[in-house]
Amino acid sequence: MAGGGAGETGKSDPIISRLANEDKKWFYQKPNLLYLYLMLFPTCMGIELTSGFDSQMINALQIVPFWKLYFGDPQGALKGIIAAAYSLGAILSLPFIPIVNDKFGRRWSIFGGSVIMVIGALIQGFSVHVGMYIVARMILGFGIPTCIVSGSSLIGELAYPKERPVMTSLFNVAYFVGQIIAAAICFGTNNIQSDWAWRIPSLLQICPSLLQITFVFFLPESPRWLITKDRGEEARAILEKYHGESDRGAEFVAAEFAQMQATIRLELEASKKSWLDLFKTAGMRRRVLITTMLGLFTQWSGNTLISYYLGDLLKMIGFLDTTYVQKINVSIACWSLVCGATVSLLVTKIRRRVMYLACTISLLCCYIAWTISMERAQTAAQAGTPNNAANIATLFFIYAYSPCYNMGYNALTYTYMVEVWPYAERSSGIAFFQLFGRLAGFFTTFVNPIGLNSVGWRYLISYCCWLAYEVVFVYFFFPETFGRTLEELAFMFEDKHLTEQANAAAEKVLNQHNAETISLGGEKGRAEVRENVA
């Protein structure tokens, strides 16, 4: 498996990818496609606004004096469970996601999850004790995975193949927009001398969900979902409208639709629409292993320390002024957005394995340096002789962490998951990723304050060890998915003949189209000759 190539027996000849890459029109030159992308931003990409808002809000509210006063300045396990309740609620919803997605489609799943989050945000903002606040955060968490699975899938299934990797990569970038909004709101309410200092940010978490509820039905449904429901004509009409605006649009749509139909038919023949499908074949089990590890990697790479406990980290090295800490909070969120957006625009240029290896190796180097500087800073602070050089170095590595993490675990996460999983198991596969991501997130957000309080800077060593394991796993197990459409990747771990059958359907349509073009050209030429003779 070294190099990630072993076992990838079923990758197809990229016919559709080649046709898409031959299209020289930009998306903004295609009115229907431009409209589609503009609608995807508030609906599907806006989903991660909620996650980003939540992580930054909890981070920032722990610095707000009136939040501490109202809830009795939670510490240790209670502080951990307040932050982790969001992930716990998400875990409880995961078994239902594939069922809801298959029965109601992507759009209604997003709508339903958003309604649940609206209810959670209202309860959170009007909480009267810490138990109610925790339950409200669990309700918020219960709604978010359905939206994430449906939204990330819908982006991948609606976007034009040439822009799909960038669009799915931008899905996670919205997380940082949510962080910036939350950080700015909490900074603005920090000096309110009442409970509204924390109630206002808690209530405003309703806003991203209201965006999804408002705009989701301005989007078309997933053509692939429509095909599974024997609504092929509707699916083809959607493809013609949004994918047929190139010079060879009719030819491209015909081939794309034929490949979709053939691939989904082959997938459904082998699928029982059960969670057990994820473990049935060697190829599926490898997808599960990669998905499980990626879920853990996205949460156990040290990011939750910065996302949820930045105030505690800065307090350990002597930064106590709440206004100053809030400014750092906002600046880190803005820096992360710049890093995330920049990396997302590179996903069509750099191979997936290169980005993941660069991500894991740079994270390991960053964390080792951060651990050393943190040790120097904390030791000096405890001795009563602050080490300003170590403090600045610690801040530098907290900022340096963002571009390292964004190279793989932000920009590529959902792009990779949509590419690794075939349509029939995509909802279950991404839900499985969410399961391990949420379990890992619940564990780390609960354990982080305990670890920091108990062993201080030494707690960072555990992350250094885990990051070293990530480098090894990515090198040996992550496959390359760069430069292919979803159908061309559907059977990459399965038998080659399945891929060839799906490819043959597209080739047949292209050959028919070419023959008709030649025939029409010949008829036109003969007609011109007859006119000249006459």
Side-chain angles (χ1 to χ4, degrees):
M1 290 191 186
E8 295 166 40
T9 58
K11 284 185 181 175
S12 74
D13 179 36
I15 295 171
I16 304 300
S17 295
R18 282 205 306 270
L19 280 174
N21 291 329
E22 288 170 7
D23 175 14
K24 301 306 178 187
K25 275 189 177 181
W26 290 88
F27 69 90
Y28 54 77
Q29 296 174 307
K30 305 172 181 179
N32 292 333
L33 191 62
L34 178 60
Y35 167 83
L36 176 67
Y37 290 166
L38 290 175
M39 285 296 104
L40 282 172
F41 270 90
T43 48
C44 296
M45 288 162 188
I47 289 164
E48 278 290 36
L49 288 172
T50 301
S51 295
F53 193 104
D54 184 82
S55 72
Q56 191 62 267
M57 184 190 73
I58 287 299
N59 196 356
L61 288 184
Q62 292 173 39
I63 309 165
V64 175
F66 274 88
W67 187 87
K68 292 180 181 179
L69 182 66
Y70 195 87
F71 293 118
D73 193 12
Q75 297 296 323
L78 179 58
K79 191 175 190 177
I81 198 66
I82 289 171
Y86 187 76
S87 293
L88 180 59
I91 292 165
L92 296 175
S93 75
L94 292 172
F96 309 106
I97 291 175
I99 301 167
V100 171
N101 259 264
D102 181 58
K103 184 171 180 62
F104 299 106
R106 310 299 195 204
R107 296 185 303 172
W108 277 105
S109 298
I110 293 170
F111 182 85
S114 298
V115 169
I116 292 171
M117 286 191 286
V118 166
I119 295 168
L122 289 172
I123 297 172
Q124 179 178 251
F126 293 111
S127 294
V128 295
H129 51 72
V130 71
M132 187 174 176
Y133 197 77
I134 290 169
V135 170
R137 290 183 50 70
M138 287 178 66
I139 294 170
L140 272 163
F142 191 89
I144 191 68
T146 305
C147 293
I148 288 175
V149 172
S150 305
S152 60
S153 298
L154 191 58
I155 292 170
E157 291 164 5
L158 283 176
Y160 191 63
K162 191 165 67 170
E163 289 101 29
R164 178 186 55 77
V166 173
M167 296 297 290
T168 49
S169 295
L170 286 172
F171 176 76
N172 245 8
V173 173
Y175 180 93
F176 298 121
V177 179
Q179 277 195 322
I180 292 169
I181 294 169
I185 289 169
C186 291
F187 182 74
T189 61
N190 186 50
N191 295 320
I192 294 176
Q193 300 302 306
S194 71
D195 293 341
W196 288 104
W198 64 267
R199 289 191 189 277
I200 290 172
S202 299
L203 284 169
L204 287 177
Q205 197 167 354
I206 199 173
C207 294
S209 298
L210 290 178
L211 273 178
Q212 279 105 60
I213 290 170
T214 303
F215 288 105
V216 70
F217 292 108
F218 286 92
L219 283 174
E221 185 52 86
S222 165
R224 291 164 177 86
W225 182 78
L226 291 170
I227 289 171
T228 64
K229 301 301 178 184
D230 296 322
R231 293 161 64 181
E233 289 305 312
E234 292 177 56
R236 182 163 187 148
I238 290 169
L239 293 175
E240 286 172 350
K241 182 175 181 179
Y242 297 106
H243 291 190
E245 295 177 287
S246 64
D247 294 333
R248 299 173 65 185
E251 179 184 7
F252 176 83
V253 168
E256 184 184 34
F257 181 67
Q259 190 183 55
M260 272 186 201
Q261 281 188 310
T263 302
I264 289 171
R265 176 179 55 78
L266 290 168
E267 287 178 28
L268 294 179
E269 283 175 2
S271 174
K272 296 180 180 177
K273 290 288 183 181
S274 161
W275 282 99
L276 294 177
D277 288 339
L278 302 187
F279 306 93
K280 191 162 58 175
T281 65
M284 285 298 173
R285 289 191 291 273
R286 185 174 175 188
R287 288 183 177 93
V288 166
L289 177 62
I290 293 164
T291 299
T292 299
M293 288 297 113
L294 187 56
L296 297 178
F297 294 169
T298 56
Q299 298 299 318
W300 280 0
S301 297
N303 51 308
T304 51
L305 267 179
I306 299 172
S307 297
Y308 287 91
Y309 301 107
L310 179 64
D312 290 349
L313 290 171
L314 296 179
K315 184 179 178 182
M316 288 166 64
I317 58 174
F319 293 107
L320 302 176
D321 181 64
T322 58
T323 302
Y324 183 73
V325 172
Q326 292 281 25
K327 287 178 179 178
I328 292 176
N329 225 355
V330 175
S331 66
I332 288 176
C334 293
W335 171 235
S336 297
L337 174 62
V338 171
C339 296
T342 302
V343 173
S344 293
L345 299 176
L346 299 175
V347 295
T348 56
K349 308 294 183 185
I350 306 173
R351 291 184 173 274
R352 310 288 186 253
R353 282 175 49 78
V354 172
M355 291 183 75
Y356 271 123
L357 284 169
C359 168
T360 51
I361 292 168
S362 61
L363 280 175
L364 176 59
C365 294
C366 183
Y367 239 90
I368 290 170
W370 180 9
T371 304
I372 294 168
S373 66
M374 191 79 170
E375 184 273 332
R376 295 286 84 203
Q378 193 177 8
T379 301
Q382 289 171 347
T385 55
N387 185 334
N388 288 329
N391 290 347
I392 292 169
T394 299
L395 268 180
F396 171 81
F397 290 119
I398 289 173
Y399 279 92
Y401 180 91
S402 183
C404 302
Y405 183 87
N406 277 289
M407 258 188 277
Y409 296 145
N410 182 267
L412 281 183
T413 298
Y414 289 102
T415 298
Y416 203 59
M417 285 292 91
V418 169
E419 290 173 347
V420 164
W421 287 99
Y423 174 81
E425 284 78 32
R426 188 166 295 139
S427 293
S428 298
I430 299 177
F432 206 77
F433 163 78
Q434 281 281 308
L435 171 63
F436 280 88
R438 298 295 175 178
L439 284 171
F442 175 79
F443 179 80
T444 54
T445 50
F446 180 73
V447 169
N448 279 341
I450 300 171
L452 289 174
N453 288 338
S454 300
V455 293
W457 67 267
R458 295 174 183 82
Y459 183 61
L460 274 64
I461 296 173
S462 62
Y463 284 112
C464 294
C465 298
W466 179 258
L467 286 165
Y469 166 73
E470 290 183 15
V471 174
V472 175
F473 188 91
V474 167
Y475 179 78
F476 283 103
F477 289 97
F478 273 33
E480 185 56 72
T481 59
F482 179 82
R484 307 270 175 156
T485 67
L486 302 184
E487 279 67 40
E488 288 161 0
L489 291 165
F491 304 112
M492 66 177 168
F493 297 136
E494 280 74 33
D495 292 338
K496 185 76 173 176
H497 80 275
L498 293 172
T499 306
E500 289 171 348
Q501 285 184 56
N503 225 30
E507 285 179 344
K508 183 179 178 182
V509 169
L510 286 174
N511 291 336
Q512 286 176 347
H513 193 277
N514 290 336
E516 288 170 5
T517 302
I518 292 168
S519 175
L520 287 171
E523 287 294 333
K524 184 179 178 181
R526 285 191 290 273
E528 288 174 353
V529 169
R530 285 195 295 270
E531 286 175 11
N532 291 335
V533 171

